[in-house]
């Protein structure tokens, strides 16, 4: 489950609320929707928040008011705002009453790769500063590529599979993505799920907001 702190405005960083989200994933680990709920200090109640989830990914002004956080930080902020003890995650899910759907398409066969190859894209909204970029490079263990479009690339074998990933800029830094190629072997697909989740969280911790997880092939 992902937590975000919401400020009063882009210029006034005083806390105004907490947003909680959870990606809805298919069997192949692509995203089909986002469940969310928002608690505001003015209302003092949890409300389903699909509109907020959509807008923080498309509206830069609103996104400037939102800061990714871990559960402990969200719990402390919630208490400071007068909410008391942050509910457990099963209780928070009870407020996910309206889902924000994400567009999905069937994966395409691209190129002449092996039948077991899968290609994923984890898309993020927002901008990375120099410190955030350096932290993302370290967390993803990236090596330079010499390609100005690709920040770095890494590979690993784990769980009977081979994985390669790249961090890419999209546009003028207004969006980013991690492209993952999985060469599946005979191991459990849980390794792939874990890797995709790790990459999503590693970049989210640097201030970007994950938009979706797509599969291209």
């Amino acid at each position: 489950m992902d937590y975000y702190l919401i400020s009063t405005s882009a210029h006034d960083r005083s806390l105004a609320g907490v947003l909680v989200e959870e990606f809805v994933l298919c069997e192949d680990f692509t995203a089909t929707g986002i469940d969310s709920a928002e608690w505001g200090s003015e209302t003092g109640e949890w409300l389903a928040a699909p509109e907020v989830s959509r807008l923080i990914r498309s509206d830069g002004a609103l996104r400037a008011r939102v800061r990714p956080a871990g559960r402990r930080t969200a719990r402390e902020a919630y208490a400071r705002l007068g909410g008391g003890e942050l509910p457990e995650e099963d209780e928070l899910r009870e407020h996910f009453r309206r889902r924000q759907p994400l567009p999905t398409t069937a994966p395409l066969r691209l190129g002449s790769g092996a039948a077991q190859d899968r290609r994923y894209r984890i898309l993020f909204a927002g901008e990375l500063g120099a410190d955030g970029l350096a932290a993302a490079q370290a967390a993803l263990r990236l090596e330079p590529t010499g390609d100005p479009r690709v920040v770095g690339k890494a590979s690993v074998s784990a769980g009977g599979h081979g994985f390669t990933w790249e961090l890419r800029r999209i546009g003028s830094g207004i969006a980013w993505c991690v492209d993952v190629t999985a060469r599946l072997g005979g191991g459990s697909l849980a390794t792939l799920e874990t890797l995709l989740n790790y990459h999503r969280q590693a970049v989210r911790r640097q201030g970007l907001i994950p938009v979706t997880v797509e599969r291209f092939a």
Side-chain angles (χ1 to χ4, degrees):
M1 192 171 282
D2 297 339
Y3 297 85
Y4 297 89
L5 306 184
I6 303 176
S7 300
T8 302
S9 71
H11 304 291
D12 182 353
R13 305 307 290 176
S14 301
L15 290 179
V18 176
L19 176 69
V20 181
E21 293 188 339
E22 189 167 47
F23 272 76
V24 181
L25 302 178
C26 295
E27 290 185 358
D28 67 350
F29 316 124
T30 54
T32 61
I34 302 174
D35 289 336
S36 62
E38 179 186 14
W39 183 90
S41 57
E42 291 188 358
T43 64
E45 60 180 324
W46 287 96
L47 300 173
E51 296 85 3
V52 178
S53 291
R54 181 178 70 255
L55 287 172
I56 64 174
R57 291 163 170 83
S58 60
D59 185 333
L62 179 58
R63 187 164 57 247
R65 297 173 50 201
V66 176
R67 176 165 61 90
R71 179 173 169 85
R72 183 175 67 178
T73 300
R75 182 174 63 241
E76 294 169 352
Y78 184 72
R80 288 200 306 273
L81 289 170
E85 184 67 24
L86 183 67
E88 295 297 326
E89 294 191 339
D90 284 345
E91 185 178 347
L92 289 173
R93 290 186 178 96
E94 295 177 4
H95 302 290
F96 294 166
R97 297 189 179 95
R98 292 185 293 121
R99 178 169 296 170
Q100 172 60 37
L102 296 174
T104 58
T105 57
L108 303 174
R109 283 296 301 155
L110 300 176
S112 57
Q116 288 294 87
D117 283 5
R118 293 187 185 183
R119 292 179 57 188
Y120 290 87
R121 169 164 288 181
I122 311 171
L123 183 64
F124 299 87
E127 300 181 7
L128 273 177
D131 291 344
L133 179 57
Q137 289 174 301
L140 299 179
R141 296 180 293 172
L142 300 177
E143 296 292 337
T145 65
D147 184 340
R149 298 168 301 176
V150 181
V151 172
K153 185 174 183 178
S155 298
V156 71
S157 295
H161 313 294
F163 302 102
T164 299
W165 57 90
E166 302 173 340
L167 176 63
R168 292 175 173 265
R169 293 182 177 90
I170 298 177
S172 301
I174 59 172
W176 296 76
C177 69
V178 177
D179 287 345
V180 178
T181 299
R183 297 172 297 282
L184 300 182
S188 169
L189 290 180
T191 306
L192 171 58
E193 180 182 19
T194 298
L195 183 136
L196 290 172
N197 182 65
Y198 173 83
H199 287 354
R200 181 164 60 88
Q201 293 297 342
V203 178
R204 192 185 81 92
R205 283 194 293 270
Q206 310 315 317
L208 298 187
I209 297 179
V211 175
T212 191
V213 182
E214 303 172 299
R215 181 178 166 191
F216 293 141

